[in-house]
Amino acid sequence: MIPKWVYIKDFKKYIDQTVEFRGWVWNKRSSGKIAFLQLRDGTGFIQGIAEKKNFDDETFENIRKIKMESSVILQGTIKKDERSPKNVELHITSFKKVQEPIEDYPISKKDHGIDFLMENRHLWIRSRRQFHILKIRNEILKAIRDFYNQNDFTLIDTPIFTGSIGESAGNTFKLDYFDYGEVYLAQTGQLYLEAAAMSFGKVYNLGPTFRSEKSKTRRHLIEFWMNEAEVAFYKHEDNIKLQESLVSFIIQRVLENASDDLKEIGRDTNKLQKIQLPFERMTYTQAIDFLKKKGFEIEWGEDFGADEESVLASQFEKPLFVEKYPRKAKAFYMQPDENNPDVVLCDDLLAPEGYGEIIGGSERIWEESILIDRLKEFNLPLDQYQWYIDLRKFGSVPHSGFGLGVERTVAWICGLEHIREAIPFARTLYRVYP
């Protein structure tokens, strides 16, 4: 009888039973008549032990000399071992190679520079640390979807090609679209979500967006994933509560379901456990006053950079909302504050520990005349935005929304030094390979 194929994640359910393992050898060592294989199968990592007495000489020599990243099918008995990270190990009794590399695996145990690792990203994602980071990312994406499903939001897939600029024309990718002419890769799906919110009430998206920014900071990617939400009849305060509820939900879900992954990458989970509602808040004007007292040469009306965001957020153990930025410093679609028309009803959510902005949101302009004035102020062509203006003609209501940067959130939750590890295949200023 052929033993049951069991994944590493389920090994603890099969103590003292014979099972089949299918996966890869990511490391090895041998000592006399025992060979130790470090195994992985996509669900975790485990140690396999092969004793010479269970194999003929040729087979045991093949096991002892097997190359890193060989694919194998093994049979053996799962035994308890308190010294193992998984508290179990596989005692191998049958060994079969599926494929053994012709040449040595390029990512060996020795240290490699980041350029080499990024050049070999297709192989680097097999390493333990990268595996656990991307498993955490997967849990974050699952949490985002679950949050919206549990709160009766409708998923709206917004287009990648668009004729309407959502942010700034200066950082768009342009291309010719058949006879239509020039279009752009989407910076945001927000405008389309606003249309959908007038149909479904509460909507969200989750997908790739593109910014043609010549930035080389540890926080920037050219192609990145964004989660956006829009809700009809939500005002500024409703919007902020929704954002902090989402982030809190993500944190709790990761702590519940990916704590082992966080431990494997050395993340201090005590810091994440302190993320409780409500989050901290200050106005843009208060933030400017604080930064000036800290010695920053910054004037009211200027936007914050990474250094300013880090100093602001470092005051707190929880994320910080900075709200009500100057009207002239923000996008055309943001609703002016009726108590102070020089500022708009917007917010940036800054993550602690120096990670900076992970969310940008605002109440949207919902009156046609104000929107048209703002479009003209930004020198945007009214004909390209006619459909967006139409939303203010037919049953318009106050509404609000935001965008959460997935990779920035992953980087913060994982405690990463650079955002390039927060996505399977990073697209940065100088990298589109592999």
Side-chain angles (χ1 to χ4, degrees):
M1 180 176 172
I2 299 175
K4 181 180 181 180
W5 173 20
V6 176
Y7 285 100
I8 289 172
K9 70 180 180 66
D10 296 321
F11 268 21
K12 289 182 181 179
K13 302 175 185 177
Y14 293 86
I15 302 296
D16 295 327
Q17 296 185 44
T18 299
V19 302
E20 183 171 272
F21 165 87
R22 302 179 187 180
W24 299 267
V25 178
W26 67 272
N27 208 344
K28 64 169 185 177
R29 63 183 177 89
S30 59
S31 177
K33 297 180 179 182
I34 301 179
F36 300 92
L37 302 183
Q38 305 304 317
L39 306 169
R40 62 178 186 84
D41 70 351
T43 71
F45 298 79
I46 203 79
Q47 178 169 267
I49 298 175
E51 298 183 68
K52 189 175 188 302
K53 65 182 182 181
N54 295 323
F55 302 91
D56 59 60
D57 290 346
E58 181 181 356
T59 301
F60 184 75
E61 191 64 13
N62 286 338
I63 294 173
R64 198 177 66 82
K65 291 185 176 180
I66 194 166
K67 290 182 178 179
M68 288 175 60
E69 288 305 312
S70 293
S71 48
V72 295
I73 297 177
L74 311 174
Q75 294 175 8
T77 304
I78 298 172
K79 294 290 185 180
K80 283 186 178 181
D81 185 348
E82 301 300 330
R83 298 166 298 178
S84 167
K86 293 284 186 182
N87 296 320
V88 294
E89 59 188 14
L90 180 66
H91 287 244
I92 303 166
T93 55
S94 172
F95 171 85
K96 177 185 177 182
K97 282 190 291 188
V98 178
Q99 193 264 345
E100 186 169 23
I102 298 173
E103 57 190 76
D104 289 339
Y105 188 60
I107 301 180
S108 60
K109 290 183 287 185
K110 67 182 180 180
D111 291 334
H112 296 289
I114 190 64
D115 286 340
F116 176 87
L117 292 171
M118 291 301 294
E119 193 77 5
N120 288 276
R121 182 64 172 169
H122 54 298
L123 303 178
W124 191 26
I125 59 174
R126 302 182 186 187
S127 69
R128 290 190 69 161
R129 177 175 170 80
Q130 301 308 310
F131 170 87
H132 289 295
I133 290 170
L134 295 178
K135 289 291 281 187
I136 294 166
R137 176 193 170 96
N138 179 64
E139 193 62 44
I140 290 169
L141 292 171
K142 286 168 62 178
I144 290 170
R145 293 186 175 98
D146 286 348
F147 174 84
Y148 290 114
N149 289 334
Q150 290 178 22
N151 287 281
D152 297 321
F153 279 70
T154 299
L155 172 64
I156 300 295
D157 296 317
T158 52
I160 296 298
F161 295 133
T162 175
S164 305
I165 300 166
E167 296 291 341
S168 168
N171 58 13
T172 54
F173 285 100
K174 302 176 184 179
L175 64 156
D176 290 328
Y177 195 80
F178 304 109
D179 294 335
Y180 179 87
E182 195 173 76
V183 296
Y184 312 93
L185 292 182
Q187 303 163 308
T188 172
Q190 175 204 315
L191 307 189
Y192 300 99
L193 282 183
E194 288 187 57
M198 299 304 125
S199 176
F200 298 95
K202 298 194 293 186
V203 296
Y204 79 100
N205 70 4
L206 182 60
T209 50
F210 307 85
R211 300 283 172 92
S212 178
E213 294 182 80
K214 292 187 176 180
S215 175
K216 296 184 288 185
T217 78
R218 67 187 183 94
R219 298 180 181 180
H220 282 86
L221 292 169
I222 303 301
E223 176 187 328
F224 59 97
W225 279 61
M226 186 137 71
N227 159 231
E228 297 173 288
E230 291 287 330
V231 185
F233 295 102
Y234 264 34
K235 304 284 281 184
H236 177 59
E237 290 297 324
D238 303 311
N239 195 26
I240 284 181
K241 289 178 182 177
L242 179 63
Q243 294 167 48
E244 63 183 1
S245 295
L246 169 64
V247 173
S248 177
F249 184 91
I250 292 169
I251 292 291
Q252 296 308 311
R253 180 63 68 83
V254 171
L255 288 172
E256 289 171 8
N257 296 341
S259 58
D260 288 344
D261 297 293
L262 292 167
K263 180 180 177 181
E264 287 286 347
I265 64 174
R267 181 58 160 130
D268 183 356
T269 56
N270 290 325
K271 294 180 178 179
L272 297 177
Q273 289 166 353
K274 294 177 181 177
I275 309 300
Q276 303 291 332
L277 299 178
F279 295 168
E280 308 291 346
R281 289 176 69 166
M282 68 170 58
T283 66
Y284 169 88
T285 301
Q286 290 170 330
I288 289 292
D289 292 340
F290 176 82
L291 290 169
K292 284 184 174 181
K293 290 176 182 177
K294 290 291 184 179
F296 283 86
E297 294 183 0
I298 187 169
E299 297 300 326
W300 199 94
E302 297 178 21
D303 205 354
F304 302 136
D307 291 341
E308 288 85 356
E309 288 181 351
S310 294
V311 169
L312 289 168
S314 66
Q315 306 170 75
F316 310 105
E317 294 179 326
K318 298 190 287 186
L320 166 68
F321 283 107
V322 180
E323 59 177 339
K324 300 184 179 179
Y325 282 71
R327 178 177 60 84
K328 293 183 178 179
K330 287 296 182 180
F332 70 89
Y333 48 75
M334 297 187 179
Q335 178 73 18
D337 185 352
E338 62 181 4
N339 297 316
N340 180 5
D342 288 333
V343 302
V344 287
L345 297 174
C346 70
D347 67 87
D348 287 346
L349 182 61
L350 310 183
E353 302 176 69
Y355 283 92
E357 181 189 347
I358 59 171
I359 288 181
S362 75
E363 185 175 328
R364 317 308 193 187
I365 292 173
W366 65 283
E367 296 173 272
E368 180 186 7
S369 61
I370 298 176
L371 178 61
I372 289 174
D373 287 344
R374 288 287 276 165
L375 286 166
K376 290 178 179 178
E377 183 180 339
F378 277 72
N379 295 315
L380 293 171
L382 296 185
D383 59 330
Q384 293 293 330
Y385 290 87
Q386 189 56 55
W387 68 271
Y388 188 64
I389 296 170
D390 282 350
L391 300 177
R392 278 75 185 166
K393 291 182 176 181
F394 306 104
S396 185
V397 298
H399 59 286
S400 301
F402 63 87
L404 175 144
V406 170
E407 286 75 28
R408 288 189 178 187
T409 304
V410 173
W412 164 46
I413 291 176
C414 291
L416 305 181
E417 292 184 5
H418 200 291
I419 201 170
R420 62 190 160 217
E421 292 182 65
I423 189 170
F425 297 96
R427 294 295 177 254
T428 58
L429 184 57
Y430 298 119
R431 179 160 302 284
V432 291
Y433 178 93

